[in-house]
Amino acid sequence: MAISELDLPIGVIAHSSADSQRQAELMADSIADALAYAVQTHGVASLVVSGGRSPIIFFEQLSTRDLNWSRVQISLADERWVPATDPASNEGLVRHHLLQNAASEAQLIGLYQPGGSLAQAAVLADQTLEQLQRPIDVLVLGMGNDGHTASLFPGNPALAHALRSDCPERCLPMQAPVEPQARLTMTYPLLACARMQCLAIQGADKLETLRTALAADPLQMPIRAFLHSPLEIYWCP
Ligand SMILES: O=C(O)[C@H](O)[C@@H](O)[C@H](O)[C@H](O)COP(=O)(O)O
């Protein structure tokens, strides 16, 4: 199956690339242009990225693009509640693969807080996000095969609240079904306010998950909440 066979909602754009390297280059070019435009028009740009394994080559590509990175804030759609030195840390992943080369000048606004509990850490992360330029200029989401995105996981008691269009918090604690289970996630209103919204997925399995999600309820497959304009989906085999 190809992404062109999916019945996508009006305004959702699909980009299909031959392989993950080409997908990374295409995303890096487009997102670098959007960040440069944001800096030019309002003096600062905000980029929110997701963790996982898929984004690594995209981070590596984007890090080389020439723009005024000193005016770019980078934050995370979600975080595992582990220190940045932990191999599972999304902040550690971004620091290693994105904050290098030209992009080393960017400001990273991490979510991890050592707090006494996950709930306390989420409150501190919520306060930290006050400094993030909004609306976010560029958002890059990933997706799991259960339809989760960021750390908005199906079946979580806090999911409905986090998906509310008027959710008052920017960041909430969340439990993932896989280790590390303790997570911090940006909530729907903050994520969905982004001027440019991208979903990067790879493989036939993720395409099938996406097809299923199009007919699902966001409480069953949270990615569904983001499948509308102005989303751009980047897919490669
Ligand atoms: O912390 C995380 O793991 C991510 O934010 C998560 O939402 C990720 O985007 C998906 O799980 C897809 O991960 P892969 O790209 O590794 O398949």
Side-chain angles (χ1 to χ4, degrees), residues 187-229:
T187 57
Y188 178 78
L190 179 56
L191 294 167
C193 81
R195 291 185 172 99
M196 178 180 186
Q197 301 178 27
C198 304
L199 169 63
I201 54 175
Q202 177 178 4
D205 59 336
K206 293 278 177 84
L207 204 51
E208 184 55 34
T209 300
L210 183 60
R211 191 175 62 80
T212 305
L214 283 164
D217 182 283
L219 290 176
Q220 272 66 50
M221 298 185 80
I223 190 63
R224 182 64 185 83
F226 297 88
L227 300 182
H228 53 71
S229 177

Side-chain angles (χ1 to χ4, degrees), residues 61-140:
Q61 278 292 319
L62 183 60
S63 77
T64 66
R65 294 312 190 262
D66 182 21
L67 59 104
N68 186 356
W69 283 103
S70 67
R71 304 300 300 153
V72 177
Q73 297 175 319
I74 298 174
S75 192
L76 292 151
D78 68 323
E79 181 58 279
R80 294 84 179 276
W81 194 39
V82 295
T85 52
D86 188 300
S89 167
N90 285 340
E91 178 178 336
L93 192 78
V94 169
R95 283 192 184 281
H96 184 71
H97 294 288
L98 179 50
L99 261 65
Q100 60 170 331
N101 304 319
S104 61
E105 297 296 311
Q107 175 198 0
L108 181 64
I109 301 173
L111 298 186
Y112 174 72
Q113 304 287 340
S117 68
L118 180 62
Q120 289 168 345
V123 170
L124 293 172
D126 189 274
Q127 291 166 358
T128 299
L129 287 172
E130 175 60 34
Q131 66 188 297
L132 181 67
Q133 152 92 6
R134 286 185 302 282
I136 293 165
D137 289 295
V138 180
L139 169 68
V140 183

Side-chain angles (χ1 to χ4, degrees), residues 49-56 76-80 88-90 93 140-146 148-153 178 183-184 199-202 205-206:
V49 294
S50 295
R53 306 315 302 163
S54 304
I56 290 175
L76 292 151
D78 68 323
E79 181 58 279
R80 294 84 179 276
S89 167
N90 285 340
L93 192 78
V140 183
L141 292 173
M143 182 188 72
N145 276 320
D146 60 355
H148 85 261
T149 191
S151 279
L152 301 166
F153 287 94
V178 294
R183 305 286 181 101
L184 298 166
L199 169 63
I201 54 175
Q202 177 178 4
D205 59 336
K206 293 278 177 84

